[in-house]
Amino acid sequence: MTIDIAALATPGIATLPPYRPGKSAEEVQRELGLTNVIKLASNENSLGPSKKVLDALASGGFDLCRYPDGSGSSLKRAIADYHGVSPGQITLGNGSNDVLELAARSIVTSAHEVIYSENAFIVYHLATHSIGATPVVIPTRDQSHDLAAMLDAISGRTRLIFIDNPGNPTGRWIGKDQLRSFLASVPEDVIVVVDEAYYDYAASLCDDYPNSTDYLADFPNLVTTRSFSKAYGLAGLRVGYAISHPDLADLMNRVRQPFNVNSLALLAAEVALEDQEHLRRCVAMNEQGMQTLTAAFADLGMEWFESIANFVSFDLARPAGPVYQAMLQEGVVVRPLVEYGLPNHLRVTIGQEYENAIFLNALDKVSATYFSL
Ligand SMILES: *Cc1c(COP(=O)(O)O)cnc(C)c1O
């Protein structure tokens, strides 16, 4: 081969490190020859989707040779009713990752700047780089968004600000007044995307956690994104959405792939939204699990970032790599946070009661080895 294909990459993509997802349970099972592995590494809801969703998917009725409804009108109507907004304010995506990218692609060019926090969700970085726009990365303050510094960083070239609330991997959040006064200070032609992938967990764990859709009427430059991947237990089907001013939704709907949400995902999300009782069960399980895990960290004398999501990052006060490896040997997959600049932390997703127990047992065993060194 004489041509250097890598040299053809656009400047934003040439410098982009590839995304490294957490290890799957099957991978760990195979690599380490283990039979029972639990995965608490990617903030999935292991309780899974509502039985009604599974029944609806099993009952079939799909004409799989046909394209899905390209406008997703039935799901959009259900989401609009759920939020008390109009269907014209909704943009559906192949996961909320998709809508995060649509937000960027519909308004940002390589001449623009995009602001987000250090250690924020990696997709903001991917979306910004793939367009060739300039990322303006704001250092965190106490591991949370430094909103004042973000405001200071706004320039004539700023088009978009991404805020994950709560943030992943720290789980820290910004409160109602903080968010409102931030939005009030951002110029109207700068779009603010508030990523609420963990909304239902967060709302249950914190009274001061803002539902940013409450502010949509006052701020036409606001976009709220939500996901069916976390509390609704549908990560494998890939479906999420944005709620925004209808004019912005119109732009985002123009750039999306015509059939970006598949037939199964459209149906599953609609049924999932109807089964709020299942959602409440998942949220209650998470509240309980959060208490169990943080109480155990306290007993072990470990610090952690107070989190209102379905994960918690805890501090081993020593390089976490060996502990991560030893946990793998015990059949428990958690998430190292080296690439987030947190080499002494591990992030664990809150699981079902039995999974939390297995995790804590393993941590107990492993820490007895490592901490007594
Ligand atoms: C998990 C997560 C999402 C969800 O992405 P999907 O594409 O909807 O699965 C979005 N934002 C953050 C910060 C997350 O941690």
Side-chain angles (χ1 to χ4, degrees):
M1 193 166 82
T2 51
I3 102 163
D4 178 3
I5 291 180
L8 303 178
T10 60
I13 288 172
T15 56
L16 198 56
Y19 179 71
R20 275 195 306 269
K23 274 184 188 295
S24 74
E26 292 71 28
E27 246 178 302
V28 174
Q29 242 157 284
R30 208 175 38 244
E31 287 172 11
L32 301 181
L34 299 168
T35 42
N36 281 318
V37 172
I38 57 167
K39 186 185 175 203
L40 299 172
S42 301
N43 304 339
E44 297 139 333
N45 171 7
S46 78
L47 209 51
S50 137
K51 178 161 185 312
K52 290 179 180 152
V53 169
L54 298 177
D55 289 347
L57 292 176
S59 74
F62 295 103
D63 214 352
L64 288 180
C65 70
R66 306 288 170 200
Y67 284 104
D69 171 10
S71 63
S73 50
S74 183
L75 176 58
K76 267 195 201 168
R77 205 171 324 112
I79 292 170
D81 287 349
Y82 182 76
H83 289 285
V85 299
S86 82
Q89 292 179 261
I90 311 294
T91 308
L92 300 178
N94 182 38
S96 59
N97 280 232
D98 192 19
V99 290
L100 294 166
E101 201 186 344
L102 293 176
R105 280 176 42 222
S106 58
I107 55 170
V108 176
T109 72
S110 57
H112 293 124
E113 293 170 351
V114 178
I115 297 177
Y116 47 88
S117 290
E118 174 190 24
N119 301 348
F121 192 41
I122 213 85
V123 170
Y124 312 155
H125 198 64
L126 295 178
T128 304
H129 273 268
S130 63
I131 296 167
T134 306
V136 177
V137 180
I138 308 299
T140 51
R141 178 186 264 261
D142 300 330
Q143 291 300 327
S144 197
H145 299 289
D146 187 344
L147 295 179
M150 283 183 151
L151 288 175
D152 282 344
I154 294 173
S155 78
R157 301 205 305 147
T158 308
R159 255 300 154 76
L160 180 61
I161 302 176
F162 283 117
I163 293 186
D164 44 358
N165 194 34
N168 175 8
T170 64
R172 298 264 175 112
W173 68 96
I174 52 182
K176 289 176 181 168
D177 290 346
Q178 268 178 301
L179 181 61
R180 175 175 276 284
S181 65
F182 176 77
L183 292 169
S185 309
V186 173
E188 275 202 324
D189 59 355
V190 175
I191 302 298
V192 181
V193 173
V194 180
D195 175 351
E196 296 179 346
Y198 300 96
Y199 177 81
D200 298 283
Y201 294 126
S204 87
L205 286 168
C206 175
D207 291 337
D208 186 39
Y209 176 67
N211 177 346
S212 68
T213 67
D214 291 343
Y215 307 148
L216 283 166
D218 292 333
F219 302 105
N221 55 334
L222 170 64
V223 181
T224 302
T225 62
R226 296 278 178 96
S227 176
F228 284 95
S229 299
K230 306 287 156 68
Y232 286 101
L234 290 173
L237 279 182
R238 313 301 302 123
V239 51
Y241 59 96
I243 315 175
S244 67
H245 189 281
D247 291 351
L248 194 53
D250 178 45
L251 297 182
M252 290 167 64
N253 274 293
R254 286 189 216 184
V255 279
R256 72 179 171 83
Q257 306 266 330
F259 302 104
N260 63 336
V261 185
N262 69 71
S263 315
L264 302 185
L266 287 172
L267 174 72
E270 191 171 340
V271 177
L273 200 58
E274 277 165 21
D275 193 352
Q276 290 291 307
E277 201 185 311
H278 179 73
L279 182 72
R280 278 192 292 276
R281 251 194 316 276
C282 296
V283 163
M285 175 187 93
N286 190 64
E287 278 182 48
Q288 182 59 51
M290 182 67 86
Q291 265 177 26
T292 306
L293 293 196
T294 52
F297 294 149
D299 282 349
L300 287 165
M302 285 181 199
E303 311 250 342
W304 65 92
F305 293 128
E306 196 186 341
S307 165
I308 60 169
N310 68 337
F311 58 82
V312 53
S313 296
F314 55 100
D315 188 357
L316 293 157
R318 57 186 47 67
V323 176
Y324 166 72
Q325 290 297 341
M327 295 289 286
L328 282 183
Q329 295 289 348
E330 297 296 319
V332 178
V333 193
V334 292
R335 184 76 149 92
L337 299 175
V338 177
E339 77 231 56
Y340 287 96
L342 298 167
N344 293 352
H345 283 75
L346 291 173
R347 188 190 69 194
V348 60
T349 302
I350 296 178
Q352 300 178 60
E353 205 176 326
Y354 83 92
E355 293 171 309
N356 298 335
I358 292 172
F359 162 76
L360 287 176
N361 256 328
L363 184 64
D364 225 19
K365 186 169 162 194
V366 166
S367 58
T369 312
Y370 283 90
F371 292 13
S372 53
L373 290 180

